[in-house]
Amino acid sequence: MPQLGETVAEGKITKWFKSAGDQVKPGDNLFEIETDKVSMEVPSTTTGVLSEIRVVAGDVAPVGAIVAIIADGSGATTSVAATPSPPTPSASRPQPATPSPLIPANAGIQSLGPRVRGDERTKIPLDPFFEVRTPERNFGPARLPGGTFVTPLARRLAAEAGIDLLRTTGSGPHGRIVASDIESAPRQASPAGVLTAGPSASEIKSLYAEGSYEEIPLDGMRRTIAARLTQAIQTIPHFDLTADIAVDRLMTLREEANTRAPKDKDFDPAFKLSLYDFIIRAMALALQRVPQANAVWAGDRILRFKHSDIGVAVALDGGLITPVLRDAETKSVSTISAEMKDLSARARDKKLKPADYQGGAAAISNLGMYGVREFSAIINPPHATILAVGAARRQAVEKDDGGVAFASFLTVTLSCDHRVLDGAAGAQLLAAIKDYLESPVTMLV
């Protein structure tokens, strides 16, 4: 099972294009997988016969699990990383003829042994009947800010136990922190305000009469949303800034642009801009004006970016995903509009690739189409900001001469990661967004 993103731990096989006994060659689509984010076809990387299917359509398998066996008929076992000798068959396990594991090049096979040179790689044993273990998450850097190294197992144990590695003394060679250091370290109390695990399913169910509810199993997307946003609330110190933005001039400009859009022979316009397209453009330009906001928290440092990569939340059946619009500050509003339509369509069809939704420093979430006036959004790690956009509305305002007029406004709330941004920097970013939207002609240059 290939890994389609750093946070993806499992995949569901939705369809097999080949059956056991079929001939396959490199490039032939073997099966289609669906993760919590995407749906993708997986091709064969070798020639042979699909001798065994281990994970049938509809089943879920962890990343790195062997889902099928391809036999090449030559009596030799091949792999992506090397061409080792065939493993000794187990007497208790039936062996298909000359199998080779269906494992992609990025599944981490080379991590099974030490680094070697040249022809030494052929000496690395590889048993195709055991899964390739792929970490489900990143447990931090191998080297701490002070120069101390930490073993992978120690990093995982420390993360799971909530132990601060900076306060841990290593007993390994050259002061390296090893697993035994974590096991013997005193457990640290959770800081005040940090959320803990909630009641179990049985405890919740005991509060309701049996038969009064329906149990809905969690799919991969809902499980991922729950885990990531719980992590965000527990680890990201949020603060919110809210502003009302006058959008009469923006709405007039949008209407005129759509009216004057070039039309094809069927009189269909080349583009149809939305307020959302202008908001994305405004956010991208504002991040360039306030560069300290175009950054993310990276554990022991802050990463600051040259371009504005904006994540845009797209609602799906049973969840949401945030595809990223790259280099948005360099693109016109019409280009942003076209790219967003493409990303949204592929997101709803689960056809996004990992490169389409990974990264970015900021995001936008819009609930205005549902009539929501204002709301606060949860920052999506690793982003440092998220802009929550409400619905446009008409309201009375006082004119300079003391009279009353009606104007169009929308309310936006900017949620910021206090580790990256202080209040003043967040306010400058929100002011820049407001300035661009209230003077929309400046976004066209």
Side-chain angles (χ1 to χ4, degrees):
M1 177 63 65
Q3 175 132 28
L4 300 179
E6 295 180 0
T7 62
V8 176
E10 63 184 17
K12 176 181 180 180
I13 295 184
T14 56
K15 179 192 301 183
W16 277 95
F17 299 106
K18 299 289 185 179
S19 302
D22 287 354
Q23 292 280 344
V24 298
K25 61 182 184 298
D28 286 351
N29 284 330
L30 296 174
F31 57 92
E32 181 181 70
I33 58 176
E34 179 182 283
T35 71
D36 59 294
K37 297 180 181 294
V38 298
S39 179
M40 185 174 292
E41 296 170 348
V42 177
S44 173
T45 58
T46 187
T47 299
V49 177
L50 184 61
S51 62
E52 181 184 356
I53 292 177
R54 292 191 172 185
V55 181
V56 299
D59 284 357
V60 176
V63 167
I66 294 180
V67 300
I69 299 294
I70 295 178
D72 60 15
S74 65
T77 300
T78 60
S79 73
V80 176
T83 310
S85 300
T88 303
S90 169
S92 62
R93 182 190 296 125
Q95 303 288 323
T98 61
S100 68
L102 177 59
I103 304 177
N106 65 347
I109 295 175
Q110 291 185 358
S111 65
L112 296 178
R115 291 186 179 180
V116 292
R117 299 187 304 273
D119 57 358
E120 291 180 356
R121 292 187 179 180
T122 61
K123 301 176 183 179
I124 300 175
L126 177 67
D127 188 339
F129 294 93
F130 286 90
E131 294 88 348
V132 177
R133 300 296 296 173
T134 304
E136 295 186 1
R137 53 169 284 200
N138 189 324
F139 294 101
R143 183 175 182 177
L144 301 179
T148 302
F149 286 91
V150 188
T151 66
L153 178 57
R155 297 201 304 272
R156 178 174 67 82
L157 294 175
E160 293 173 347
I163 292 176
D164 186 354
L165 289 171
L166 294 175
R167 299 181 182 180
T168 303
T169 301
S171 61
H174 308 290
R176 184 187 302 268
I177 298 175
V178 296
S180 59
D181 299 323
I182 304 302
E183 293 168 349
S184 61
R187 292 314 188 247
Q188 301 158 2
S190 297
V194 174
L195 302 180
T196 57
S200 66
S202 59
E203 290 173 326
I204 295 294
K205 289 164 60 178
S206 67
L207 302 176
Y208 303 93
E210 188 174 352
S212 64
Y213 55 81
E214 177 187 0
E215 295 190 40
I216 310 298
L218 295 180
D219 59 14
M221 175 174 289
R222 180 51 53 187
R223 190 180 296 113
T224 298
I225 291 172
R228 286 179 61 79
L229 296 187
T230 299
Q231 176 194 19
I233 285 293
Q234 290 179 337
T235 62
I236 298 177
H238 288 61
F239 70 89
D240 298 330
L241 303 170
T242 301
D244 291 327
I245 300 177
V247 292
D248 280 304
R249 284 197 283 180
L250 176 59
M251 295 174 75
T252 300
L253 177 63
R254 167 184 168 271
E255 183 177 350
E256 183 175 352
N258 286 337
T259 300
R260 294 179 176 273
K263 295 179 175 58
D264 60 20
K265 61 181 180 180
D266 297 323
F267 299 99
D268 293 324
F271 55 79
K272 185 177 182 180
L273 307 180
S274 67
L275 291 182
Y276 205 16
D277 300 326
F278 285 93
I279 292 170
I280 297 170
R281 170 77 170 159
M283 182 75 162
L285 294 175
L287 287 172
Q288 295 297 306
R289 185 186 293 185
V290 188
Q292 62 267 38
N294 193 21
V296 300
W297 181 259
D300 60 352
R301 68 201 67 193
I302 291 174
L303 306 183
R304 186 172 293 177
F305 303 100
K306 297 178 181 178
H307 292 289
S308 299
D309 294 342
I310 309 294
V312 182
V314 176
L316 308 175
D317 290 339
L320 60 86
I321 193 170
T322 308
V324 177
L325 193 67
R326 310 288 177 182
D327 304 342
E329 85 283 1
T330 67
K331 296 172 180 176
S332 67
V333 180
S334 59
T335 300
I336 289 173
S337 179
E339 290 194 14
M340 276 312 307
K341 287 181 175 63
D342 173 65
L343 286 171
S344 298
R346 289 194 286 124
R348 294 187 178 98
D349 292 337
K350 289 197 171 184
K351 296 299 183 183
L352 291 177
K353 298 178 181 178
D356 294 325
Y357 55 78
Q358 292 179 343
I364 303 174
S365 180
N366 179 20
L367 294 179
M369 72 284 290
Y370 299 107
V372 175
R373 176 173 175 174
E374 64 177 281
F375 68 103
S376 298
I378 300 174
I379 296 171
N380 183 33
H383 299 165
T385 57
I386 185 169
L387 186 71
V389 181
R393 66 187 185 279
R394 298 284 288 174
Q395 72 180 45
V397 295
E398 183 180 2
K399 298 193 298 185
D400 293 338
D401 61 3
V404 176
F406 283 87
S408 297
F409 289 87
L410 60 80
T411 300
V412 299
T413 298
L414 181 69
S415 297
C416 305
D417 183 344
H418 216 322
R419 299 172 302 179
V420 179
L421 293 174
D422 293 324
Q428 291 171 9
L429 179 63
L430 185 56
I433 295 170
K434 177 181 173 73
D435 183 44
Y436 281 117
L437 291 176
E438 292 188 338
S439 302
V441 174
T442 59
M443 291 190 283
L444 304 180
V445 296

